[in-house]
């Protein structure tokens, strides 16, 4: 029997009492790596109650001590970086290099969380009226919850719980049931770094466990990352239950290629940004928009695509790994078939891809479509696979219109040698993260991750200053102190305006 993954509840990693166990498989082989529990209702209650009880103490811990916890955690994550990446690579199928990147991007957020004293600074205005001062503080909310997707099992949990906990909250994490081993390891290391008991809980499962978090009165804020339909469900349910919510959802990211761009940069970056991580990135480029004569480069792109091959996580020559599940692979193959039926030209078809020695892996080879039109399913739907759709337009204005008509707004980029074209694009495009000659413009954590439109529901974004705003409430204090002389002079009533001259 395979190993059963424990949950972190009430300060202990313990086995669930559930009858429902979800197999976690190696997507390159279908070998069952472990089973994750679907937490029972009682376990969910215990986790939330323990987090609530811990909040009363944790909120009183000085901000400098909270910062030091994050410094120790950051050091430990760095020390164990490769071990975490190995676990991550096995359960996601990502190449080792890519898995290390996943861990590293998470560590950068922990570094940011270690800056919490300056991030929590409030504001002060002296003499808002005569002898009256106002200051504002930000204070933690209580128990916050995080629901994370399969595609970044280190980075995305680390977007959430370090920022929330450093801000003085306690946290219940419900990771993806498809790769829960990495989040469990992150939680183990958090305890090893000295996190107080119950500041973090980790429960496992799917919809039922998520719905408990969304409706439970003790959960004050919900952070979600995942697909559009689930993101909409999470946002609607959480806000209907009067919680704060930030929901990062699906995407369809366009790269606009101007004829004056550097061809070798365009070709190399398009391959990496569309096929990397098997296309399973919310910031992957899935549409290339060729403006004017740049369409001549499509043949060169096809040549580069044809050189790329997937493989196992420890195959140093593999450009990317398998899709996360047979179901995800089937969905991608159906979309490729639909693309052909709807009239797009398939220059390279990865549907029949195999990898030597790994006949059961969820492989999809690099796939390139041209003559793609906005009404086609391959243009409209998030494919989340190594599939690039090429669209040709005549002008930059047309390209901007196309991108702005997309319901998604996570990321986009423009490749050009013209400052004027880049300036126009960054100003007019309705997308939250823009790269100029950078294909995947994910901001470092001193900024925030700022998807727009159908790629994000909420207002405050992930990490950086916005995460601290999301995980805190502002309290504004107006104060006046009397000494005998002032008290005699003013005789004020409740309306402070009587002091204004
Ligand atoms: P998913 O929506 O299937 O699952 C995300 C989480 O929601 C998981 O923890 C899962 O257990 C839970 N869940 C699944 N179905 C549910 C339901 N019906 N009700 C309640 N909870 C449910 O997403 P995924 O396949 O794990 O991840 C891939 C998706 O995530 C892609 O669409 C990708 O674009 C998106 N994503 C977005 C960002 C971003 O920042 N915008 C980042 C990473 C991934």
């Amino acid at each position: 029997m395979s190993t059963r993954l424990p949950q972190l509840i009430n300060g202990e990693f313990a086995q669930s009492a559930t009858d429902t166990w979800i197999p976690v498989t190696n997507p390159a082989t279908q070998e069952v790596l472990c089973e994750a529990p679907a937490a029972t209702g009682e376990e969910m209650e215990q986790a939330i109650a323990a987090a609530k009880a811990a909040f009363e103490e944790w909120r009183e811990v000085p901000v400098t001590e909270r910062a030091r916890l994050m410094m120790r955690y950051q050091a430990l994550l760095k020390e164990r970086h490769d071990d975490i990446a190995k676990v991550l690579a096995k359960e996601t199928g990502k190449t080792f290099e890519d898995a290390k990147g996943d861990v590293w991007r998470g560590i950068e957020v922990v570094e940011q969380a270690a800056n919490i004293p300056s991030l929590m600074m409030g504001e002060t205005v002296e003499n808002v009226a005569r002898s009256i001062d106002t200051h504002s503080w930000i204070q933690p909310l209580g128990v916050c919850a995080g629901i994370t997707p399969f595609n970044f099992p280190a980075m995305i949990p680390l977007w959430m719980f370090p920022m929330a906990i450093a801000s003085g909250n306690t946290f219940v994490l419900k990771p993806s049931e498809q790769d829960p081993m990495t989040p469990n390891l992150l939680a183990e290391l958090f305890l090893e770094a000295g996190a107080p008991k119950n500041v973090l809980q980790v429960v496992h499962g799917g919809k039922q466990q998520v719905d408990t978090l969304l409706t439970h009165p003790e959960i004050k804020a919900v952070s979600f990352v995942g697909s559009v339909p689930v993101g909409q469900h999470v946002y609607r349910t959480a806000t209907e239950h009067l919680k704060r919510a930030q929901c990062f959802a699906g995407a369809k990211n366009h790269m606009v290629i101007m004829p004056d761009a550097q061809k070798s940069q365009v070709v190399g970056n398009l391959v990496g940004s569309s096929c990397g991580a098997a296309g399973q990135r919310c910031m992957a480029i899935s549409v290339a928009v060729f403006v004017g004569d740049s369409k001549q480069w499509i043949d060169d792109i096809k040549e580069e695509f044809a050189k790329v091959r997937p493989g196992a996580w420890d195959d140093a020559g593999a450009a990317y790994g398998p899709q996360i599940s047979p179901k995800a692979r089937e969905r991608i193959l159906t979309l490729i078939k639909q693309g052909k039926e709807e009239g797009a030209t398939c220059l390279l078809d990865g549907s029949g891809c195999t990898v030597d020695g790994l006949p059961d892996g969820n492989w999809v080879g690099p796939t390139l479509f041209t003559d793609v039109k906005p009404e086609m399913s391959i243009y409209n739907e998030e494919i989340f696979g190594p599939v690039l759709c090429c669209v040709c337009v005549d002008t930059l204005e047309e390209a901007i219109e196309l991108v702005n008509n997309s319901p998604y707004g996570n990321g986009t980029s423009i490749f050009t040698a013209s400052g004027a074209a880049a300036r126009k694009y960054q100003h007019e495009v309705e997308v939250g993260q823009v790269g100029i000659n950078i294909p995947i413009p994910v901001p470092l954590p001193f900024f925030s991750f700022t998807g727009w439109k159908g790629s994000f529901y909420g207002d405050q974004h992930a990490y950086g200053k916005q995460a601290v705003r999301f995980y805190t409430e502002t309290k504004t204090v107006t104060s006046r102190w009397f000494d005998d002389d002032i008290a005699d002079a003013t005789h004020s009533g409740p309306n402070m305006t009587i002091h204004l001259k």
Side-chain angles (χ1 to χ4, degrees), residues 256-264 266 289-297 393-396 399 414-418 421:
V256 172
I257 298 135
M258 299 299 288
D260 62 2
Q262 272 190 26
K263 183 175 131 184
S264 62
V266 168
V289 185
F290 293 88
V291 178
D293 288 344
S294 69
K295 59 177 171 285
Q296 293 166 3
W297 303 338
V393 297
D394 293 328
T395 62
L396 176 59
I414 181 167
F415 273 64
T416 182
S418 157

Side-chain angles (χ1 to χ4, degrees), residues 147-152 156 159 174-178 205-208 210-211 214 224-228 230-231 233-234 248-251 281-282 382 384 410 449 455:
I147 300 146
T148 55
F150 80 82
N151 67 329
F152 282 97
I156 293 181
W159 277 8
K174 203 302 286 170
S176 169
E177 63 278 38
Q178 300 193 84
K207 177 174 171 52
Q208 200 180 333
V210 169
D211 287 349
L214 302 182
F224 166 88
V225 181
S227 60
V228 168
V230 182
H233 162 73
V234 169
F248 300 83
R281 289 179 180 145
C282 67
E382 182 183 38
F384 225 51
N410 219 29
F449 186 95
S455 298

